[in-house]
Amino acid sequence: MAQQPEPSDWWRDAAIYQVYPRSFADGGGDGTGDLAGVRSRLPYLAELGVQAVWFNPWYPSPMADGGYDVADYRDVDPAFGTLAEAEKLIAEGLELGLRTIVDIVPNHVSDAHPWFRAALAAAPGSPERDLFHFRPGRGALGELPPNDWKSEFGGCPWTRTVNADGSPGEWYLHLFAVQQPDLNWAHPQVRSEHESILRFWFDRGAAGVRIDSAGLLAKDPALPDFEPGRDPHPFVDRDELHGIYRSWRAIADSYAEPRVLIGEIWVSDTERFARYLRPDELHTAFNFDFLARPWEPFQLRASIDATLAAHAPVGAPATWVLCNHDVTRTVTRYGRADTRFDFAAKAFGTPTDLPLGRRRARAAALLSLALPGSVYLYQGEELGLPEVEDLPPERLQDPMHLRSGGTDPGRDGCRVPLPWSGSEPPYGFAPAGVEPWLPQPAGWGALTVEAQSGDPDSMLELYRSALRIRRSAVAGEFAWLPSGREVLAFRRAGGFSCLVNLGGEPVALPPHGAVLLASGPPAGGLLPPDTAVWLQDS
Ligand code: NOJ
């Protein structure tokens, strides 16, 4: 039996399930997922075997960016339910052993947020505008944006305002969509407001927060033009961020069960990344390096090594993530000639071998669930849902798609509502006859929770078994085992080992006591290509 960590250290090796509330389950019958739907499906999550649930934003929002444009951080959007329901959900989850993690969006607010409305109504130079980044334009008439930065969603991150008399006014910064003005984190009121928001959710029982765009909050106050290679970057990974997160950590640690801070940090330098995970800063951060790597033995091994080496000195656990609401679904990505994830490389019409992708996704599940640290599962990953790539263009909502002029497929394809039961849309996601907010494809009948439950060969049962075994048998020291070039083989404490065959030929299994689980049937003592196995010493 593996050693269990301290209860307050649950986050060190937890399996955390990501719920995209809009697409999880529709309890209200209007085609949009909601908190009532989640509450009715909590037993499903408990049975799956996860320890916590991270919810994408559920706050009042005009939904210009799927809720990452927050109009009120202390309430729930009426489309999803009420604050009282969120409180019930948190409490009911706990009764089933599921902790709740809420999504905090500190870099920007919605343009419908009262602060931004007040700033627009106020004059240049006013205290209201100081909470954001307002600047006069360049050029003789101020007709050019204040600097040459690029939006994370493509295009210019500056939008010009209109003065009360109708004349063109100052510009404001939005690293994402026009509707997401960036806050000025050098302002004490911005800091105190977010500290109060943290307490608001921690006081309601949230076990932690996922911090959106956590590496982008601080900006060079001069807002200079971007010069490639210049250090520090004017808005990514700036040193000022560490003081912000230290103050958040003090708040998180002030609770009887300390709350957990999880950063969304896209910083490729693993040592810079690990600085956020020092003992008085964030607890963990998503491992995007691992997520973005191709299905390739050297690449995955290098990512695992770099991850473990960077985390060890700061004492933070690694995290393992295969997909989320922003990236191409795993079975689709792994079924392509180029199996990396890269926002810039996304394109319509990429050929995909889904059966191959599925085999690899099954093997990747066993790989990531056997590594030391915590692991994140994105809703539908456990069902092996593919990316939906033929959504009708007029139904697409993602600003990444819209701002690209329609060339970038965007992220709607990984946000399609879940199939729960039945053989046609809405597959139990909503009451029969109700059209989900994004259409589900025909042919998902075999992928529903109902169809997969009890089928030992299904993706769902693979995840259920893996999560169960992980809790009892996967813990302790990690060490690579000798293996062929195209095989990843490692052991954990207590005689557990994991082998993944990323090559084109079957490989022999090493001597072992028992096969605990395999992502595909081992044939005659051999591990087939694109297959993983968990073994136990005798
Ligand atoms: C990261 C979130 O995961 C993504 O969905 C969102 O669009 C951006 N941050 C902006 O908030």
Side-chain angles (χ1 to χ4, degrees), residues 138 146-149 219-227 230 232-235 238:
R138 297 201 281 205
N147 67 26
D148 67 353
W149 296 0
K219 274 88 185 175
D220 184 328
L223 303 178
D225 278 345
F226 176 72
E227 284 170 36
R230 181 171 127 165
H233 190 286
F235 61 87
R238 292 179 62 83

Side-chain angles (χ1 to χ4, degrees), residues 65 68 108 153 176 210 212-213 264 325-326 411 415:
D65 181 22
Y68 282 98
H108 42 267
F153 285 166
F176 294 91
R210 176 263 188 194
D212 185 65
S213 305
E264 190 218 9
H325 66 293
D326 291 331
R411 301 166 295 178
R415 300 174 177 179

Side-chain angles (χ1 to χ4, degrees), residues 19 83 92 120 161 183 206 213 234 242 261 267 275 278 306 309 415 429 437:
V19 165
L83 179 59
E92 288 164 0
L120 278 187
T161 60
L183 287 166
S213 305
H242 298 283
L261 308 174
V267 168
R275 296 178 77 219
R278 289 177 289 196
R415 300 174 177 179
F429 165 74
W437 72 278

Side-chain angles (χ1 to χ4, degrees), residues 391-403:
L391 289 165
E394 68 281 5
R395 300 289 290 273
L396 298 180
Q397 306 210 0
D398 181 13
M400 262 190 164
H401 168 73
L402 303 176
R403 283 177 67 92

Side-chain angles (χ1 to χ4, degrees), residues 143-190:
E143 74 281 13
L144 300 172
N147 67 26
D148 67 353
W149 296 0
K150 297 274 174 292
S151 159
E152 301 286 308
F153 285 166
C156 177
W158 292 96
T159 291
R160 196 164 193 190
T161 60
V162 179
N163 292 323
D165 64 2
S167 59
E170 289 186 317
W171 299 68
Y172 69 88
L173 176 70
H174 50 85
L175 287 184
F176 294 91
V178 176
Q179 301 90 339
Q180 294 168 295
D182 279 48
L183 287 166
N184 172 12
W185 271 87
H187 197 298
Q189 203 181 331
V190 171

Side-chain angles (χ1 to χ4, degrees), residues 86-448:
E87 290 172 351
K88 277 194 197 136
L89 170 58
I90 294 171
E92 288 164 0
L94 275 180
E95 279 165 27
L96 295 174
L98 298 168
R99 291 178 163 91
T100 291
I101 292 164
V102 298
D103 209 320
I104 292 292
V105 188
N107 180 67
H108 42 267
V109 299
S110 161
D111 59 355
H113 190 284
W115 281 13
F116 190 68
R117 292 225 162 133
L120 278 187
S126 59
E128 289 86 349
R129 289 204 173 183
D130 267 0
L131 299 171
F132 298 90
H133 298 285
F134 279 86
R135 290 290 185 282
R138 297 201 281 205
L141 302 170
E143 74 281 13
L144 300 172
N147 67 26
D148 67 353
W149 296 0
K150 297 274 174 292
S151 159
E152 301 286 308
F153 285 166
C156 177
W158 292 96
T159 291
R160 196 164 193 190
T161 60
V162 179
N163 292 323
D165 64 2
S167 59
E170 289 186 317
W171 299 68
Y172 69 88
L173 176 70
H174 50 85
L175 287 184
F176 294 91
V178 176
Q179 301 90 339
Q180 294 168 295
D182 279 48
L183 287 166
N184 172 12
W185 271 87
H187 197 298
Q189 203 181 331
V190 171
R191 284 183 72 147
S192 60
E193 169 68 355
H194 277 82
E195 291 176 4
S196 150
I197 292 165
L198 286 180
R199 289 200 181 89
F200 180 89
W201 289 103
F202 291 162
D203 289 349
R204 277 160 184 75
V209 290
R210 176 263 188 194
I211 307 161
D212 185 65
S213 305
L216 302 180
L217 277 49
K219 274 88 185 175
D220 184 328
L223 303 178
D225 278 345
F226 176 72
E227 284 170 36
R230 181 171 127 165
D231 192 24
H233 190 286
F235 61 87
V236 179
D237 185 29
R238 292 179 62 83
D239 285 346
E240 301 93 295
L241 289 169
H242 298 283
I244 297 171
Y245 296 133
R246 288 200 177 100
S247 68
W248 289 23
R249 180 63 177 256
I251 294 169
D253 282 348
S254 71
Y255 285 78
E257 180 181 286
R259 307 311 203 227
V260 175
L261 308 174
I262 304 159
E264 190 218 9
I265 301 175
W266 292 82
V267 168
S268 53
D269 177 327
T270 46
E271 275 164 38
R272 294 285 308 178
F273 177 85
R275 296 178 77 219
Y276 292 88
L277 307 178
R278 289 177 289 196
D280 59 347
E281 297 193 39
L282 308 183
H283 296 74
T284 63
F286 299 115
N287 186 346
F288 293 118
D289 182 76
F290 181 73
L291 179 152
R293 296 278 182 145
W295 184 248
E296 213 264 78
F298 313 112
Q299 292 273 346
L300 290 174
R301 184 188 289 265
S303 179
I304 293 166
D305 280 339
T307 299
L308 297 178
H311 285 69
V314 290
T319 68
W320 309 101
V321 193
L322 294 173
C323 62
N324 65 29
H325 66 293
D326 291 331
V327 309
T328 310
R329 281 208 178 265
T330 320
V331 299
T332 301
R333 175 161 67 90
Y334 286 151
R336 292 180 164 166
D338 180 357
T339 51
R340 285 172 309 146
F341 177 73
D342 182 356
F343 281 110
K346 284 184 79 173
F348 283 108
T350 311
T352 307
D353 177 345
L354 276 182
L356 174 67
R358 233 172 239 130
R359 275 201 304 282
R360 291 175 170 172
R362 289 173 65 87
L366 293 200
L367 167 62
S368 57
L369 288 165
L371 289 167
S374 60
V375 65
Y376 287 82
L377 314 178
Y378 172 48
Q379 68 178 39
E381 178 181 337
E382 81 282 18
L383 302 177
L385 297 187
E387 187 86 0
V388 181
E389 301 190 279
D390 56 356
L391 289 165
E394 68 281 5
R395 300 289 290 273
L396 298 180
Q397 306 210 0
D398 181 13
M400 262 190 164
H401 168 73
L402 303 176
R403 283 177 67 92
S404 74
T407 55
D408 183 323
R411 301 166 295 178
D412 294 298
C414 66
R415 300 174 177 179
V416 170
L418 289 195
W420 291 92
S421 58
S423 54
E424 54 189 48
Y427 301 109
F429 165 74
V434 171
E435 168 80 7
W437 72 278
L438 272 179
Q440 300 158 303
W444 268 14
L447 295 176
T448 65

